[in-house]
Amino acid sequence: MASAYGGPEALSVIDVEVPEPGPGEVRIAVRAVGVNPFDYKMYSGAFGADPAKLPMRLGAEAAGVVTAAGADATGPAGPVRVGDEVIAYRAPGAYAAELVVPASSVVPKPAELSWEQAGGLMVAGATAVHVLEAIGLGRGDTVLIHGAAGGVGLVAVQLAVARGATVVATANPAKHELLRELGAIPVAYGPGLADRVRVAAPEGIHAAADLVGTGEAVDVSVELVTDRSRIATIAGFERGAQAGIKLLGGGPGADPGTGIREAARLQLTEAAAAGRLRILIASSHPLSAAAAAHRESMAGHTTGKIVLVP
């Protein structure tokens, strides 16, 4: 929980009473929680600093075991019962040992996923689906994905390849081998990026996804993609607005894509269960070390998802 606006030092763990679930709700014993950039942006002041919103509970996704269910507790996959292993998204306040959420936010956890993988699947996965839908990616397209080794990027690469697209993926060279394993053509970011992309994709780039929010990512995308409606960003909102590209997610003026992201949940669990989608975990921290997890996330050099374990 954030007790003030500022940096990770504002975070603390407190005890609160967890209510019994009401009609259409379930209580979950949390086993893993996904960490996402939006979590720390909430208390950083990036979206305002209204003192009335403090203290602020954080988190949007979790995985765990249902310990109680209210009447008519039904999720997208059917009735939710005590003992079910589930993933909850959207799950406000997911940084918790126990959580009460609407059953409509709960989908079955694939047995093939660890708790950490399940806890970190949905925000990155649903965001990746939203991005690919927004840029209209299909078979035969060549797409440029910036920040391809991050949590969203790794999912987006795999889903784009599964759609029959050619993926050119920017990342630190140390992460290029992993991206090749996932079916992408990796290129290093930094000066000369546009030229390196042209060499990697001599027939041109049809669409682009900025998953890092840098000026370079937006500018190179605009330089290489003729149709700006096929460029989207989930982080570079100011530069993206100036460039006239699509803004996606929770930022100012962005399309939240609520319907697309909710519909993506069962698609993602099905793909993960079938082995078509790998969820890579960068690190796992105890819930009490959320500040350390946020510092790691803010540094921006992780490969895959950061998770918290109560």
Side-chain angles (χ1 to χ4, degrees):
M1 181 172 289
S3 56
Y5 289 99
E9 67 279 356
L11 299 182
S12 60
V13 178
I14 65 171
D15 291 327
V16 297
E17 185 176 348
V18 180
E20 290 297 316
E25 294 181 332
V26 296
R27 186 178 67 216
I28 299 170
V30 176
R31 297 290 184 263
V33 181
V35 172
N36 298 286
F38 189 78
D39 299 343
Y40 56 77
K41 289 179 181 179
M42 286 293 294
Y43 65 87
S44 71
F47 303 134
D50 182 357
K53 294 182 179 179
L54 296 173
M56 182 186 300
R57 295 185 63 175
L58 304 175
E61 62 177 339
V65 180
V66 176
T67 58
D72 300 319
T74 302
V80 184
R81 301 180 175 89
V82 172
D84 286 352
E85 297 186 349
V86 298
I87 299 173
Y89 169 77
R90 308 172 184 252
Y95 285 27
E98 288 189 289
L99 189 63
V100 174
V101 297
S104 59
S105 298
V106 166
V107 297
K109 169 192 168 295
E112 293 81 2
L113 295 184
S114 70
W115 286 116
E116 290 82 0
Q117 289 172 318
L121 168 64
M122 282 299 166
V123 170
T127 301
V129 171
H130 185 196
V131 170
L132 300 186
E133 287 292 320
I135 62 177
L137 192 70
R139 182 170 297 279
D141 284 335
T142 299
V143 61
L144 174 61
I145 298 180
H146 300 274
V152 177
L154 289 171
V155 179
V157 166
Q158 294 176 77
L159 296 180
V161 170
R163 289 185 179 212
T166 298
V167 179
V168 179
T170 74
N172 185 296
K175 303 172 183 180
H176 284 189
E177 185 56 37
L178 170 61
L179 291 169
R180 289 190 188 95
E181 289 178 15
L182 298 178
I185 304 168
V187 296
Y189 53 75
L193 174 58
D195 289 337
R196 288 192 293 278
V197 173
R198 289 188 180 99
V199 171
E203 296 184 5
I205 299 292
H206 301 103
D210 164 33
L211 310 180
V212 290
T214 62
E216 174 190 71
V218 174
D219 293 346
V220 169
S221 297
V222 169
E223 179 179 346
L224 297 177
V225 179
T226 302
D227 183 354
R228 295 195 182 187
S229 72
R230 300 200 69 190
I231 307 172
T233 181
I234 65 168
F237 298 115
E238 183 175 354
R239 183 69 70 93
Q242 295 169 352
I245 66 175
K246 290 181 175 179
L247 314 180
L248 308 177
D255 170 18
T258 302
I260 293 173
R261 295 184 185 219
E262 289 183 353
R265 293 175 296 177
L266 293 177
Q267 300 173 31
L268 292 164
T269 54
E270 179 185 1
R276 298 193 305 271
L277 179 60
R278 292 171 56 187
I279 307 302
L280 286 86
I281 301 301
S283 63
S284 177
H285 301 259
L287 186 59
S288 59
H294 282 197
R295 291 187 182 98
E296 181 182 350
S297 180
M298 293 164 77
H301 302 301
T302 57
T303 301
K305 287 287 297 190
I306 299 171
V307 297
L308 301 174
V309 180

